[in-house]
Amino acid sequence: MFIVHWITDLLCPPSKSAKYQLAESCFTKQELDAIRNEHCMHVLSQYAQTVDDDHFLQWAGLPDAAPALQQGLCNVVRQHSGQPGSPSASITLDGIIVAKAHCEKMDQASAEDFAFDVLDVDQQGAVPKDHLQAVILGCMQLALSKAYGRDAVANLQEAAAAVAAGACQYCGPDAQALTRPGYAKYCKAAPALNALLLSLMCNIGKQPPTVAHLVQPLIHLEQPNGQPSPAATASLTAAPAGSAGSPSSDSHAPGSSTAAVTDVAGPGGSSDALAAASAAAAGGGGDGLPTCPGRVQLPDLGWGLCDPADSLLQPGWVWLLAAGLGPKLRQEWRLLFNSVKHGMSYSTFLNRLGDASPTLLLIQDKGGALFGGVAYAPWKKTGTFYGDYASSIFSLLPKAQIYPASGINPNIQWCGVGFSQLPNGVGFGGQTGHFGAWLDATLDTGMSRPAATFASPCLASSQRFQVDVVEAWLLAPPEEELKEAASNA
């Protein structure tokens, strides 16, 4: 690998700036070598010492990402490529390493700064709602096309608009922009957007290219007339005698670097080698995001006999809600009840849920609001509140916001069956008769009032509402299936 390091140091000598040295200290030597070697491959293909936006996005595995997302990411890396207060006009190796350190290696505040800067493309300290919506739509498209295919990204505009509107609410009830303090609050309640933004550079340094891929562009570096570039010739001949980069009588012998280059890329030059290496590193090219161990896994969805198009749980909501759950609850979600399919029957609802937990409950009222909750305990008859503080409630339409349990009281879940004096139905939070989200046993009406249990406002179109559709999902495979899978493994 001597020639790799020699070429890299020749073209892109490391910076001595304080911010670069701090970023460099966050990586191991192997990680830095991988980033620098991949960078060398890309700059050689451009005959330059910097990477342009197109090559950088190809390297990151994001050539087909939404323009708003591409622009934000490139702007952030250019900012880190220049001096403080003076962004660089191009993307440098220093900037890539500093940006990657901020989003993956430093503290939470640094990571959130990176993500917010991707959003705040104009560097005004506030992200207008329409631009925020465009970035959120791009994030959904990337994540969902990878998890569920391109059909899943066909109708995400409504979900993206609702998520953007909900995020802006963390800056005030009538806010039309998202500020940095508001973004910090939003990340605690709904981590999906922040998690995806922080994964945008995971492909950088993921798969170090071979020596052949690195040497190929330099060997075939050509002028417009097709002759080898004098710079390339001079660089190669300047290599120390006997080094891995110096020409020798057996340089084209089988197994040598040059022979390997010709075998891999053919005599056509650097473009083929670059495309092949980029595709390999991206884990499939531009079809969604490259595989990244740190990225939030989205669950497999089991619809049973129901048509996915008729479900309340559309892909955009899966992306938003899954990020706040643990890894075990992001493996498989299974539809248990849909009132359109199974009827408006409370007994059928309870029978189909049985002892299932945790579950996701979705309610759409006739005013168009969509909301619900995640319950970690089974829905079983009891005359008191019960449940787990890990539970949450949320609104999805018209504004998407998530409300974790506040801890102020233990009134998480209620399930009433056959009572004469107590409420019959299922609900989240609040007090008896004053629930944060409530579904009456008739499945015809419900209630949603401000509740201290989740520090939540009314989630429905009105505090008393008419039910349109009810749906329930199991968020983990039944325990017996997990045990069987483990024994089979």
Side-chain angles (χ1 to χ4, degrees):
M1 295 299 289
F2 175 83
I3 189 171
V4 174
H5 297 153
W6 172 74
I7 295 172
T8 304
D9 290 340
L10 176 68
L11 293 179
C12 309
S15 170
K16 299 299 182 182
S17 69
K19 70 175 183 179
Y20 175 81
Q21 292 180 3
L22 176 62
E24 187 182 51
S25 68
C26 298
F27 296 94
T28 65
K29 182 180 183 302
Q30 290 76 14
E31 290 171 333
L32 283 172
D33 285 346
I35 297 171
R36 297 187 72 203
N37 294 345
E38 291 178 13
H39 179 264
C40 180
M41 177 183 69
H42 285 272
V43 298
L44 285 173
S45 72
Q46 294 181 244
Y47 320 120
Q49 290 184 305
T50 58
V51 178
D52 63 22
D53 287 8
D54 289 342
H55 279 77
F56 174 71
L57 292 169
Q58 181 70 40
W59 182 9
L62 302 171
D64 300 322
L69 194 56
Q70 291 180 335
Q71 182 184 9
L73 178 60
C74 291
N75 280 1
V76 170
V77 180
R78 274 195 294 271
Q79 290 169 27
H80 289 301
S81 295
Q83 296 301 316
S86 178
S88 171
S90 56
I91 293 175
T92 67
L93 176 60
D94 287 10
I96 292 168
I97 290 175
V98 173
K100 188 173 176 69
H102 274 75
C103 70
E104 296 180 10
K105 297 291 187 177
M106 294 186 179
D107 57 18
Q108 178 179 337
S110 298
E112 287 182 3
D113 284 342
F114 170 90
F116 186 77
D117 286 343
V118 174
L119 297 172
D120 189 15
V121 68
D122 294 325
Q123 296 297 296
Q124 298 298 310
V127 185
K129 186 168 68 174
D130 58 347
H131 181 73
L132 179 62
Q133 178 180 334
V135 176
I136 290 171
L137 178 60
C139 290
M140 287 182 174
Q141 290 169 339
L142 285 170
L144 295 171
S145 64
K146 188 71 174 179
Y148 305 127
R150 294 198 178 276
D151 290 344
V153 304
N155 298 296
L156 295 173
Q157 287 79 6
E158 183 181 43
V163 174
C168 289
Q169 295 301 290
Y170 286 86
C171 301
D174 300 316
Q176 296 297 307
L178 179 64
T179 64
R180 177 65 180 89
Y183 183 68
K185 297 176 184 177
Y186 177 67
C187 291
K188 293 179 181 178
L193 175 60
N194 192 63
L196 194 140
L197 293 175
L198 296 183
S199 73
L200 291 178
M201 295 189 68
C202 72
N203 200 48
I204 306 295
K206 176 189 170 187
Q207 291 187 0
T210 64
V211 175
H213 285 147
L214 289 165
V215 179
Q216 169 67 20
L218 189 57
I219 291 177
H220 292 287
L221 201 61
E222 294 177 346
Q223 301 182 94
N225 62 9
Q227 297 300 314
S229 164
T233 304
S235 297
L236 283 175
T237 56
S243 72
S246 59
S248 63
S249 58
D250 61 348
S251 61
H252 291 276
S256 70
S257 297
T258 307
V261 169
T262 303
D263 291 340
V264 171
S270 61
S271 59
D272 293 340
L274 175 62
S278 296
D287 184 15
L289 284 171
T291 302
C292 176
R295 185 166 295 120
V296 173
Q297 173 191 353
L298 295 179
D300 295 330
L301 301 177
W303 305 97
L305 298 177
C306 294
D307 186 344
D310 296 332
S311 173
L312 296 178
L313 187 65
Q314 294 302 302
W317 308 135
V318 178
W319 172 79
L320 177 68
L321 298 172
L325 304 175
K328 292 183 179 180
L329 303 188
R330 299 197 302 265
Q331 297 178 15
E332 178 186 346
W333 293 5
R334 192 174 299 183
L335 181 63
L336 298 179
F337 179 84
N338 179 283
S339 59
V340 175
K341 174 69 176 178
H342 301 108
M344 284 290 199
S345 168
Y346 187 51
S347 60
T348 301
F349 171 84
L350 292 177
N351 287 336
R352 290 193 63 83
L353 267 63
D355 294 324
S357 68
T359 53
L360 172 70
L361 179 65
L362 291 168
I363 303 169
Q364 180 174 281
D365 69 25
K366 292 190 176 180
L370 178 60
F371 56 95
V374 175
Y376 276 73
W379 293 102
K380 290 296 185 180
K381 176 182 177 179
T382 177
T384 60
F385 278 99
Y386 67 103
D388 193 304
Y389 284 106
S391 302
S392 62
I393 61 176
F394 53 81
S395 62
L396 297 177
L397 290 174
K399 297 176 181 178
Q401 292 185 287
I402 300 174
Y403 303 95
S406 66
I408 200 169
N409 63 50
N411 300 348
I412 306 297
Q413 289 178 240
W414 176 279
C415 183
V417 182
F419 291 131
S420 58
Q421 302 295 323
L422 294 174
N424 290 308
V426 293
F428 290 90
Q431 303 291 334
T432 305
H434 192 99
F435 295 95
W438 169 257
L439 187 63
D440 189 78
T442 63
L443 299 193
D444 289 331
T445 62
M447 170 198 306
S448 178
R449 294 182 174 174
T453 309
F454 297 97
S456 57
C458 172
L459 307 178
S461 298
S462 59
Q463 292 193 10
R464 293 278 187 176
F465 60 86
Q466 297 293 312
V467 176
D468 187 19
V469 182
V470 179
E471 194 165 281
W473 289 76
L474 175 63
L475 301 186
E479 187 174 348
E480 57 270 19
E481 290 189 13
L482 293 175
K483 290 180 179 179
E484 181 180 354
S487 63
N488 289 339

